[in-house]
Amino acid sequence: MLSDVALFFCIIVVGTAGELCVSRAMKTVGEAKEFMPHAWLGAIARAFGIRWMWIGFAMMAIAYFALLGMLARANVSFVIPVTALSYVVGAIGGRWFLGEQVTHRRWIGISLVCIGVAMVYLGKG
Amino acid sequence: MKVAADLRLKTYLLILMLVCFGPIGDLLMSKGMRQIGTAASWAPSALLHYGALVFTSPLVWLGTLAMIGFFISYTTVLSWADYSYVQPASALTYGIVALLGKYILGERVAPLRWTGIVIVCIGVMIIGHTSPSTTVPLDENKQPTTEEVNAL
């Protein structure tokens, strides 16, 4: 039970925190002004010079292995609906770590996405 | 206002790219790997042969390209758009997966699943009506003013 909680923590919190770190690195690089693939690749390459990018990838790797571990222990129809909580963690993290303005409207949308994702997986069987 | 409209348009385009590239990559990789099957044994020669099969599979290469496309579009859109906007919007992937499953793989999609997908889409539409970007570049180290946010 305790190890299940630890694995879910890694998937939901550590995984989302990793994406938030990658997002922070990309925000530090700044908007890719030109809407062209070479400009996008340039922005990503510059982001690799920022430590948040590497921290983010390390955390995402931990979350990936935790997901594999959890899938080996439980059904996907149980694991994925629980991981839909990542959207809530993402919104809290976006507000706290990236200074985003998460309005009531956005919260309503995020809640619906969480419920919808959980239903998608519950309906898989 | 034009800048805000351009920002919204390019955000939509990149989210569209990532929700298409992600599931297409998964589908191609899974088809490619199923075609190849598992390694005959753990013997080095069998593993070498298996590796050669994986690396010469067009489906695996196309899947890898689609996944690279997903990674590029996801990280690029995060260079300006809010994470709390992009992350839930990327849940549209579930709709694409169901459509691919139904029309390409001929899978049956349960009604509960369709209901979930419709709820995800409504949620994403609501999020889509918020501003894609509510922060200023982090290196400027300041919060946007209410006027700046309203202008978006």
Side-chain angles (χ1 to χ4, degrees), chain A:
Chain A
M1 181 63 197
L2 193 66
S3 50
D4 283 359
V5 173
L7 285 173
F8 272 127
F9 178 84
C10 286
I11 299 167
I12 297 169
V13 180
V14 178
T16 309
E19 291 196 7
L20 284 161
C21 291
V22 169
S23 183
R24 185 160 181 147
M26 291 307 292
K27 293 283 183 325
T28 308
V29 164
E31 181 182 344
K33 294 284 179 199
E34 270 182 274
F35 198 76
M36 297 292 281
H38 67 83
W40 305 345
L41 289 172
I44 294 167
R46 283 197 301 281
F48 277 104
I50 296 165
R51 73 193 161 106
W52 287 117
M53 193 75 165
W54 294 100
I55 295 170
F57 276 115
M59 289 173 116
M60 285 158 70
I62 292 169
Y64 179 72
F65 286 112
L67 179 68
L68 292 184
M70 200 60 225
L71 287 173
R73 299 159 68 97
N75 285 338
V76 69
S77 57
F78 166 68
V79 176
I80 304 294
V82 179
T83 60
L85 285 174
S86 301
Y87 299 107
V88 177
V89 176
I92 296 168
R95 191 187 168 104
W96 172 75
F97 186 61
L98 301 171
E100 295 171 3
Q101 299 203 346
V102 186
T103 57
H104 290 303
R105 184 181 278 195
R106 194 175 282 182
W107 268 118
I108 293 168
I110 290 165
S111 309
L112 286 173
V113 168
C114 280
I115 296 166
V117 169
M119 285 173 75
V120 165
Y121 274 89
L122 292 174
K124 213 164 192 177

Side-chain angles (χ1 to χ4, degrees), chain B residues 55-128:
Chain B
F55 281 102
T56 52
S57 160
L59 284 174
V60 170
W61 278 106
L62 285 172
T64 308
L65 278 179
M67 283 177 166
I68 291 171
F70 169 82
F71 171 77
I72 291 172
S73 38
Y74 193 57
T75 41
T76 302
V77 74
L78 286 175
S79 74
W80 67 79
D82 286 0
Y83 179 74
S84 59
Y85 182 98
V86 176
Q87 186 209 23
S90 64
L92 285 176
T93 305
Y94 296 104
I96 306 280
V97 168
L99 290 174
L100 288 175
K102 184 172 167 65
Y103 294 106
I104 295 187
L105 300 178
E107 291 173 350
R108 194 186 148 268
V109 180
L112 183 63
R113 227 175 146 194
W114 283 125
T115 315
I117 289 163
V118 170
I119 293 175
V120 166
C121 292
I122 295 170
V124 172
M125 272 166 61
I126 293 172
I127 294 162

